[in-house]
C-alpha cells in the first residue's frame, strides 16, 4: 500500500502532490462507503484519537468525530473551556497527560499559529492540525480541492478566486498551497487592508474589484469575515464591506457564465454571501461539508498506517 511522506498533517505546505492524490483516492473509497447503508468500517479499531479543541468549531469538530466513528476508532473529546487549561496548565503538560492514557492520534484546533508544529517537535503521537490561528487549516483545503475535483473532474488550470479576509484566514493560505500544487490558477480578492503585503510571493494575483474577479474565475471560494481575529477596524462597517465584496444573485446574473460558489463556513449571511446565493444550485457548500468526512477518514486512516510503520 502507498503511504504518506509525512508522519503528521501539520499543513499543506509539508505535503507532496503524491500525498494529496493519495488522500483523494483514499477519500474516494471512503466516500463510497459512507454513502452505503452500512457506513462503518473496522479500519481503526485498535486506534485511540483525542480531539483537542482550544477554539470553537462546529463543522471541523463534528466532521472529525464522525470520521473517527465511521472508522471504528476509540475517541475522547477535550474542550479547553471545561479543562484544567483554565487553571494554568501548559499545552505540553495537557497533551502529555492525555497521551499517558495511551492515545495514538491528536487532532488539535488551537488559536496560536504554529501550535501543531510545536507539538510535533515535543510529542511522539501523530498530529492532525484542525486549524491553528491564522496559519493553516489543511483538512479544509483538502476537502475544498476535493470538492472542485469532484465537480469538474480535475483541478489543473481551473481558475479559483479566494474572496475576503485573506489576512486572517488559515483557509486562504492552505487553499493557496493546495490548489497551486495541483496546478490551478489562484487569485485573491478583497480590500487591501485585509491582504497580506507579500501575497504575490505565494504566486497569486490580487483583484481589488469583485466584478473583475468573478468575470475571471471558474470558482469563487468566499471567506468569512473573521471579526474575532480583527483587533483593528479593517473596513468602515460590515454594511460597506458587504456592498463592495458581498456576492448576491444580481451580481452572479450579470456574469456571462455560471461560476461555482464555495464557502468553508460558518457563513455570515447577508455579509459575504446573500442567502439566495448560499442556497443556490451554483453553491457546493454542503458538498464541501459532506466531503469533509471522507477526507478526514482518509487522513486519519493514512496517518494510522504510519503508526504501524514506525
Ligand atoms: N470550516 C470550519 O473550520 O468551520 P468550523 O470553524 O465550524 O470548524
Amino acid at each position: 500500500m502507498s503511504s504518506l511522506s509525512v508522519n503528521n498533517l501539520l499543513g499543506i505546505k509539508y505535503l507532496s502532490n503524491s500525498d494529496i492524490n493519495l488522500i483523494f483516492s483514499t477519500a474516494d473509497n471512503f466516500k463510497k462507503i459512507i454513502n452505503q447503508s452500512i457506513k462503518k468500517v473496522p479500519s481503526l479499531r485498535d486506534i485511540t484519537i483525542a480531539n483537542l479543541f482550544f477554539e470553537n468549531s462546529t463543522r471541523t469538530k463534528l466532521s472529525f468525530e464522525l470520521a473517527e466513528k465511521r472508522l471504528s476508532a476509540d475517541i475522547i473529546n477535550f474542550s479547553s473551556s471545561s479543562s484544567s487549561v483554565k487553571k494554568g496548565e501548559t499545552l505540553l503538560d495537557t497533551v502529555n497527560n492525555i497521551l499517558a492514557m495511551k492515545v495514538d492520534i491528536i487532532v488539535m484546533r488551537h488559536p496560536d499559529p504554529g501550535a501543531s508544529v510545536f507539538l510535533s517537535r515535543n510529542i511522539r503521537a501523530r498530529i492532525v492540525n484542525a486549524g491553528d490561528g491564522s496559519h493553516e487549516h489543511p483538512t479544509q483545503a483538502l476537502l475544498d480541492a476535493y470538492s472542485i475535483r469532484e465537480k469538474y473532474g480535475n483541478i489543473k488550470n481551473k481558475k479559483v478566486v479566494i474572496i475576503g479576509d485573506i489576512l486572517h484566514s488559515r483557509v486562504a493560505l492552505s487553499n493557496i498551497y493546495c490548489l497551486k500544487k495541483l496546478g490551478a490558477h489562484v487569485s485573491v480578492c478583497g480590500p487591501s487592508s485585509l491582504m497580506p503585503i507579500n501575497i504575490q510571493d505565494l504566486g497569486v494575483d490580487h483583484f481589488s474589484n469583485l466584478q473583475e474577479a468573478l468575470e475571471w474565475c471558474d470558482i469563487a471560494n468566499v471567506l468569512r469575515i473573521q471579526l474575532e481575529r480583527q483587533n483593528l477596524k479593517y473596513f468602515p462597517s460590515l454594511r460597506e464591506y458587504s456592498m463592495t465584496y458581498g456576492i448576491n444573485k444580481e451580481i452572479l446574473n450579470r456574469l456571462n457564465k455560471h461560476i461555482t460558489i464555495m464557502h468553508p463556513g460558518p457563513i455570515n449571511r447577508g455579509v459575504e454571501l446573500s442567502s439566495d446565493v448560499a442556497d443556490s444550485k451554483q453553491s457546493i457548500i454542503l458538498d464541501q461539508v459532506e466531503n469533509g468526512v471522507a477526507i478526514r477518514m482518509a487522513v486519519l486512516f493514512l496517518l494510522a498506517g504510519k503508526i504501524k510503520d514506525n
Side-chain angles (χ1 to χ4, degrees), residues 53 55-62 109 130 137 140 143 170-171 224 263-266 296:
F53 278 72
E55 197 188 77
N56 294 343
S57 169
T58 300
R59 274 145 295 271
T60 311
K61 185 170 185 297
L62 293 179
R109 170 166 289 191
H137 192 348
Q140 181 68 46
L143 75 88
R170 54 194 174 211
V171 175
R224 182 173 66 88
H263 193 299
R296 291 177 175 120

PDB file of all heavy atoms in Angstrom, residues 53 55-62 109 130 137 140 143 170-171 224 263-266 296, ligand 1:
ATOM      1  N   PHE A  53      -9.902  20.617  21.166  1.00  0.00           N
ATOM      2  CA  PHE A  53     -10.372  21.875  20.556  1.00  0.00           C
ATOM      3  C   PHE A  53     -10.232  23.010  21.563  1.00  0.00           C
ATOM      4  O   PHE A  53     -10.973  23.088  22.534  1.00  0.00           O
ATOM      5  CB  PHE A  53     -11.790  21.713  19.996  1.00  0.00           C
ATOM      6  CG  PHE A  53     -11.762  21.062  18.635  1.00  0.00           C
ATOM      7  CD1 PHE A  53     -11.451  19.712  18.504  1.00  0.00           C
ATOM      8  CD2 PHE A  53     -11.984  21.799  17.487  1.00  0.00           C
ATOM      9  CE1 PHE A  53     -11.358  19.117  17.243  1.00  0.00           C
ATOM     10  CE2 PHE A  53     -11.899  21.219  16.226  1.00  0.00           C
ATOM     11  CZ  PHE A  53     -11.587  19.873  16.104  1.00  0.00           C
ATOM     12  N   GLU A  55     -10.427  26.055  20.543  1.00  0.00           N
ATOM     13  CA  GLU A  55     -11.113  27.155  19.876  1.00  0.00           C
ATOM     14  C   GLU A  55     -12.434  26.594  19.350  1.00  0.00           C
ATOM     15  O   GLU A  55     -12.524  25.400  19.069  1.00  0.00           O
ATOM     16  CB  GLU A  55     -10.240  27.622  18.697  1.00  0.00           C
ATOM     17  CG  GLU A  55     -10.581  28.968  18.140  1.00  0.00           C
ATOM     18  CD  GLU A  55      -9.785  29.221  16.860  1.00  0.00           C
ATOM     19  OE1 GLU A  55     -10.146  28.679  15.806  1.00  0.00           O
ATOM     20  OE2 GLU A  55      -8.806  29.978  16.938  1.00  0.00           O
ATOM     21  N   ASN A  56     -13.438  27.466  19.194  1.00  0.00           N
ATOM     22  CA  ASN A  56     -14.762  26.989  18.774  1.00  0.00           C
ATOM     23  C   ASN A  56     -14.732  26.334  17.398  1.00  0.00           C
ATOM     24  O   ASN A  56     -13.928  26.704  16.548  1.00  0.00           O
ATOM     25  CB  ASN A  56     -15.752  28.159  18.722  1.00  0.00           C
ATOM     26  CG  ASN A  56     -16.007  28.728  20.102  1.00  0.00           C
ATOM     27  OD1 ASN A  56     -15.699  28.067  21.095  1.00  0.00           O
ATOM     28  ND2 ASN A  56     -16.546  29.923  20.171  1.00  0.00           N
ATOM     29  N   SER A  57     -15.619  25.398  17.213  1.00  0.00           N
ATOM     30  CA  SER A  57     -15.753  24.732  15.907  1.00  0.00           C
ATOM     31  C   SER A  57     -17.085  23.998  15.872  1.00  0.00           C
ATOM     32  O   SER A  57     -17.513  23.434  16.877  1.00  0.00           O
ATOM     33  CB  SER A  57     -14.628  23.717  15.728  1.00  0.00           C
ATOM     34  OG  SER A  57     -14.869  22.894  14.611  1.00  0.00           O
ATOM     35  N   THR A  58     -17.724  24.018  14.716  1.00  0.00           N
ATOM     36  CA  THR A  58     -18.899  23.161  14.507  1.00  0.00           C
ATOM     37  C   THR A  58     -18.533  22.091  13.486  1.00  0.00           C
ATOM     38  O   THR A  58     -18.445  20.895  13.810  1.00  0.00           O
ATOM     39  CB  THR A  58     -20.108  23.977  13.992  1.00  0.00           C
ATOM     40  OG1 THR A  58     -20.423  24.963  14.959  1.00  0.00           O
ATOM     41  CG2 THR A  58     -21.319  23.085  13.759  1.00  0.00           C
ATOM     42  N   ARG A  59     -18.277  22.529  12.234  1.00  0.00           N
ATOM     43  CA  ARG A  59     -18.036  21.589  11.138  1.00  0.00           C
ATOM     44  C   ARG A  59     -16.824  20.685  11.386  1.00  0.00           C
ATOM     45  O   ARG A  59     -16.906  19.459  11.285  1.00  0.00           O
ATOM     46  CB  ARG A  59     -17.776  22.356   9.815  1.00  0.00           C
ATOM     47  CG  ARG A  59     -18.993  22.734   9.048  1.00  0.00           C
ATOM     48  CD  ARG A  59     -18.744  24.067   8.394  1.00  0.00           C
ATOM     49  NE  ARG A  59     -18.595  25.043   9.463  1.00  0.00           N
ATOM     50  CZ  ARG A  59     -19.617  25.711   9.983  1.00  0.00           C
ATOM     51  NH1 ARG A  59     -20.796  25.572   9.488  1.00  0.00           N
ATOM     52  NH2 ARG A  59     -19.453  26.553  10.999  1.00  0.00           N
ATOM     53  N   THR A  60     -15.665  21.301  11.674  1.00  0.00           N
ATOM     54  CA  THR A  60     -14.426  20.518  11.740  1.00  0.00           C
ATOM     55  C   THR A  60     -14.491  19.498  12.868  1.00  0.00           C
ATOM     56  O   THR A  60     -14.135  18.330  12.708  1.00  0.00           O
ATOM     57  CB  THR A  60     -13.230  21.472  11.932  1.00  0.00           C
ATOM     58  OG1 THR A  60     -13.341  22.521  10.967  1.00  0.00           O
ATOM     59  CG2 THR A  60     -11.909  20.757  11.757  1.00  0.00           C
ATOM     60  N   LYS A  61     -14.976  19.928  14.032  1.00  0.00           N
ATOM     61  CA  LYS A  61     -15.027  19.043  15.203  1.00  0.00           C
ATOM     62  C   LYS A  61     -15.975  17.866  14.942  1.00  0.00           C
ATOM     63  O   LYS A  61     -15.612  16.699  15.144  1.00  0.00           O
ATOM     64  CB  LYS A  61     -15.479  19.844  16.430  1.00  0.00           C
ATOM     65  CG  LYS A  61     -15.458  19.100  17.725  1.00  0.00           C
ATOM     66  CD  LYS A  61     -15.684  20.095  18.873  1.00  0.00           C
ATOM     67  CE  LYS A  61     -15.552  19.433  20.221  1.00  0.00           C
ATOM     68  NZ  LYS A  61     -16.547  18.391  20.448  1.00  0.00           N
ATOM     69  N   LEU A  62     -17.184  18.191  14.454  1.00  0.00           N
ATOM     70  CA  LEU A  62     -18.166  17.116  14.229  1.00  0.00           C
ATOM     71  C   LEU A  62     -17.719  16.202  13.091  1.00  0.00           C
ATOM     72  O   LEU A  62     -17.935  14.988  13.124  1.00  0.00           O
ATOM     73  CB  LEU A  62     -19.537  17.720  13.926  1.00  0.00           C
ATOM     74  CG  LEU A  62     -20.193  18.458  15.100  1.00  0.00           C
ATOM     75  CD1 LEU A  62     -21.540  19.029  14.690  1.00  0.00           C
ATOM     76  CD2 LEU A  62     -20.373  17.528  16.300  1.00  0.00           C
ATOM     77  N   ARG A 109      -7.298  21.740  17.268  1.00  0.00           N
ATOM     78  CA  ARG A 109      -7.525  23.132  16.827  1.00  0.00           C
ATOM     79  C   ARG A 109      -7.023  24.039  17.939  1.00  0.00           C
ATOM     80  O   ARG A 109      -7.327  23.826  19.121  1.00  0.00           O
ATOM     81  CB  ARG A 109      -9.000  23.398  16.559  1.00  0.00           C
ATOM     82  CG  ARG A 109      -9.254  24.881  16.337  1.00  0.00           C
ATOM     83  CD  ARG A 109     -10.587  25.179  15.747  1.00  0.00           C
ATOM     84  NE  ARG A 109     -10.662  24.759  14.357  1.00  0.00           N
ATOM     85  CZ  ARG A 109     -11.664  25.098  13.540  1.00  0.00           C
ATOM     86  NH1 ARG A 109     -12.647  25.864  13.985  1.00  0.00           N
ATOM     87  NH2 ARG A 109     -11.685  24.679  12.300  1.00  0.00           N
ATOM     88  N   ALA A 130      -6.145  20.805  13.012  1.00  0.00           N
ATOM     89  CA  ALA A 130      -7.536  21.102  12.626  1.00  0.00           C
ATOM     90  C   ALA A 130      -7.759  22.609  12.571  1.00  0.00           C
ATOM     91  O   ALA A 130      -8.892  23.083  12.690  1.00  0.00           O
ATOM     92  CB  ALA A 130      -8.490  20.443  13.625  1.00  0.00           C
ATOM     93  N   HIS A 137      -5.167  25.391   7.760  1.00  0.00           N
ATOM     94  CA  HIS A 137      -6.328  24.536   8.049  1.00  0.00           C
ATOM     95  C   HIS A 137      -6.320  23.463   6.949  1.00  0.00           C
ATOM     96  O   HIS A 137      -7.112  23.492   6.005  1.00  0.00           O
ATOM     97  CB  HIS A 137      -7.599  25.378   8.006  1.00  0.00           C
ATOM     98  CG  HIS A 137      -8.835  24.714   8.545  1.00  0.00           C
ATOM     99  ND1 HIS A 137      -8.901  23.363   8.824  1.00  0.00           N
ATOM    100  CD2 HIS A 137     -10.061  25.223   8.847  1.00  0.00           C
ATOM    101  CE1 HIS A 137     -10.119  23.080   9.278  1.00  0.00           C
ATOM    102  NE2 HIS A 137     -10.843  24.187   9.285  1.00  0.00           N
ATOM    103  N   GLN A 140      -9.399  21.455   5.640  1.00  0.00           N
ATOM    104  CA  GLN A 140     -10.357  22.298   4.924  1.00  0.00           C
ATOM    105  C   GLN A 140      -9.911  22.469   3.470  1.00  0.00           C
ATOM    106  O   GLN A 140     -10.712  22.341   2.544  1.00  0.00           O
ATOM    107  CB  GLN A 140     -10.471  23.672   5.606  1.00  0.00           C
ATOM    108  CG  GLN A 140     -11.480  24.609   4.939  1.00  0.00           C
ATOM    109  CD  GLN A 140     -12.915  24.161   5.086  1.00  0.00           C
ATOM    110  OE1 GLN A 140     -13.338  23.781   6.180  1.00  0.00           O
ATOM    111  NE2 GLN A 140     -13.686  24.170   4.001  1.00  0.00           N
ATOM    112  N   LEU A 143     -10.482  19.233   1.546  1.00  0.00           N
ATOM    113  CA  LEU A 143     -11.883  18.980   1.192  1.00  0.00           C
ATOM    114  C   LEU A 143     -12.368  19.981   0.148  1.00  0.00           C
ATOM    115  O   LEU A 143     -13.202  19.653  -0.700  1.00  0.00           O
ATOM    116  CB  LEU A 143     -12.773  18.939   2.450  1.00  0.00           C
ATOM    117  CG  LEU A 143     -13.129  20.239   3.168  1.00  0.00           C
ATOM    118  CD1 LEU A 143     -14.375  20.876   2.607  1.00  0.00           C
ATOM    119  CD2 LEU A 143     -13.329  19.959   4.659  1.00  0.00           C
ATOM    120  N   ARG A 170      -6.652  31.145   7.749  1.00  0.00           N
ATOM    121  CA  ARG A 170      -5.882  29.905   7.569  1.00  0.00           C
ATOM    122  C   ARG A 170      -6.437  29.123   6.375  1.00  0.00           C
ATOM    123  O   ARG A 170      -5.713  28.369   5.739  1.00  0.00           O
ATOM    124  CB  ARG A 170      -5.941  29.071   8.846  1.00  0.00           C
ATOM    125  CG  ARG A 170      -7.351  28.774   9.334  1.00  0.00           C
ATOM    126  CD  ARG A 170      -7.346  28.260  10.751  1.00  0.00           C
ATOM    127  NE  ARG A 170      -8.683  28.092  11.304  1.00  0.00           N
ATOM    128  CZ  ARG A 170      -8.977  28.229  12.584  1.00  0.00           C
ATOM    129  NH1 ARG A 170      -8.034  28.546  13.449  1.00  0.00           N
ATOM    130  NH2 ARG A 170     -10.197  28.048  13.027  1.00  0.00           N
ATOM    131  N   VAL A 171      -7.734  29.299   6.090  1.00  0.00           N
ATOM    132  CA  VAL A 171      -8.329  28.604   4.948  1.00  0.00           C
ATOM    133  C   VAL A 171      -7.697  29.122   3.649  1.00  0.00           C
ATOM    134  O   VAL A 171      -7.378  28.348   2.739  1.00  0.00           O
ATOM    135  CB  VAL A 171      -9.860  28.803   4.922  1.00  0.00           C
ATOM    136  CG1 VAL A 171     -10.472  28.176   3.678  1.00  0.00           C
ATOM    137  CG2 VAL A 171     -10.495  28.209   6.173  1.00  0.00           C
ATOM    138  N   ARG A 224     -15.288  33.843   5.317  1.00  0.00           N
ATOM    139  CA  ARG A 224     -15.994  34.554   6.390  1.00  0.00           C
ATOM    140  C   ARG A 224     -15.148  35.743   6.859  1.00  0.00           C
ATOM    141  O   ARG A 224     -13.919  35.648   6.954  1.00  0.00           O
ATOM    142  CB  ARG A 224     -16.180  33.577   7.564  1.00  0.00           C
ATOM    143  CG  ARG A 224     -16.925  34.120   8.742  1.00  0.00           C
ATOM    144  CD  ARG A 224     -17.166  32.992   9.734  1.00  0.00           C
ATOM    145  NE  ARG A 224     -15.936  32.490  10.319  1.00  0.00           N
ATOM    146  CZ  ARG A 224     -15.356  32.977  11.414  1.00  0.00           C
ATOM    147  NH1 ARG A 224     -15.898  34.021  12.033  1.00  0.00           N
ATOM    148  NH2 ARG A 224     -14.249  32.459  11.894  1.00  0.00           N
ATOM    149  N   HIS A 263     -17.778  28.054   0.195  1.00  0.00           N
ATOM    150  CA  HIS A 263     -17.577  28.797   1.456  1.00  0.00           C
ATOM    151  C   HIS A 263     -17.220  27.757   2.522  1.00  0.00           C
ATOM    152  O   HIS A 263     -17.877  26.723   2.619  1.00  0.00           O
ATOM    153  CB  HIS A 263     -18.862  29.544   1.836  1.00  0.00           C
ATOM    154  CG  HIS A 263     -18.683  30.564   2.928  1.00  0.00           C
ATOM    155  ND1 HIS A 263     -18.256  30.240   4.193  1.00  0.00           N
ATOM    156  CD2 HIS A 263     -18.865  31.904   2.940  1.00  0.00           C
ATOM    157  CE1 HIS A 263     -18.188  31.343   4.935  1.00  0.00           C
ATOM    158  NE2 HIS A 263     -18.547  32.373   4.201  1.00  0.00           N
ATOM    159  N   PRO A 264     -16.173  28.001   3.335  1.00  0.00           N
ATOM    160  CA  PRO A 264     -15.803  26.991   4.339  1.00  0.00           C
ATOM    161  C   PRO A 264     -16.771  26.938   5.522  1.00  0.00           C
ATOM    162  O   PRO A 264     -16.746  25.965   6.292  1.00  0.00           O
ATOM    163  CB  PRO A 264     -14.416  27.457   4.800  1.00  0.00           C
ATOM    164  CG  PRO A 264     -14.393  28.934   4.521  1.00  0.00           C
ATOM    165  CD  PRO A 264     -15.268  29.146   3.317  1.00  0.00           C
ATOM    166  N   GLY A 265     -17.619  27.979   5.671  1.00  0.00           N
ATOM    167  CA  GLY A 265     -18.489  28.070   6.839  1.00  0.00           C
ATOM    168  C   GLY A 265     -17.697  28.496   8.068  1.00  0.00           C
ATOM    169  O   GLY A 265     -16.476  28.309   8.090  1.00  0.00           O
ATOM    170  N   PRO A 266     -18.307  29.025   9.094  1.00  0.00           N
ATOM    171  CA  PRO A 266     -19.709  29.425   9.112  1.00  0.00           C
ATOM    172  C   PRO A 266     -19.937  30.696   8.285  1.00  0.00           C
ATOM    173  O   PRO A 266     -19.077  31.569   8.263  1.00  0.00           O
ATOM    174  CB  PRO A 266     -19.978  29.682  10.601  1.00  0.00           C
ATOM    175  CG  PRO A 266     -18.638  29.995  11.201  1.00  0.00           C
ATOM    176  CD  PRO A 266     -17.625  29.270  10.389  1.00  0.00           C
ATOM    177  N   ARG A 296     -11.397  13.449   5.950  1.00  0.00           N
ATOM    178  CA  ARG A 296     -10.817  13.254   7.305  1.00  0.00           C
ATOM    179  C   ARG A 296     -10.652  11.770   7.605  1.00  0.00           C
ATOM    180  O   ARG A 296      -9.689  11.376   8.264  1.00  0.00           O
ATOM    181  CB  ARG A 296     -11.670  14.005   8.327  1.00  0.00           C
ATOM    182  CG  ARG A 296     -11.486  15.519   8.111  1.00  0.00           C
ATOM    183  CD  ARG A 296     -12.305  16.417   8.979  1.00  0.00           C
ATOM    184  NE  ARG A 296     -11.903  17.802   8.724  1.00  0.00           N
ATOM    185  CZ  ARG A 296     -12.712  18.765   8.281  1.00  0.00           C
ATOM    186  NH1 ARG A 296     -13.995  18.527   8.044  1.00  0.00           N
ATOM    187  NH2 ARG A 296     -12.249  19.990   8.060  1.00  0.00           N
TER     188      ARG A 296
HETATM  189  N1  LIG B   1     -14.760  25.472   8.230  1.00  0.00           N
HETATM  190  C1  LIG B   1     -14.524  25.420   9.571  1.00  0.00           C
HETATM  191  O1  LIG B   1     -13.381  25.284  10.016  1.00  0.00           O
HETATM  192  O2  LIG B   1     -15.649  25.544  10.318  1.00  0.00           O
HETATM  193  P1  LIG B   1     -15.685  25.374  11.917  1.00  0.00           P
HETATM  194  O3  LIG B   1     -14.970  26.578  12.491  1.00  0.00           O
HETATM  195  O4  LIG B   1     -17.147  25.329  12.287  1.00  0.00           O
HETATM  196  O5  LIG B   1     -14.960  24.123  12.268  1.00  0.00           O
END
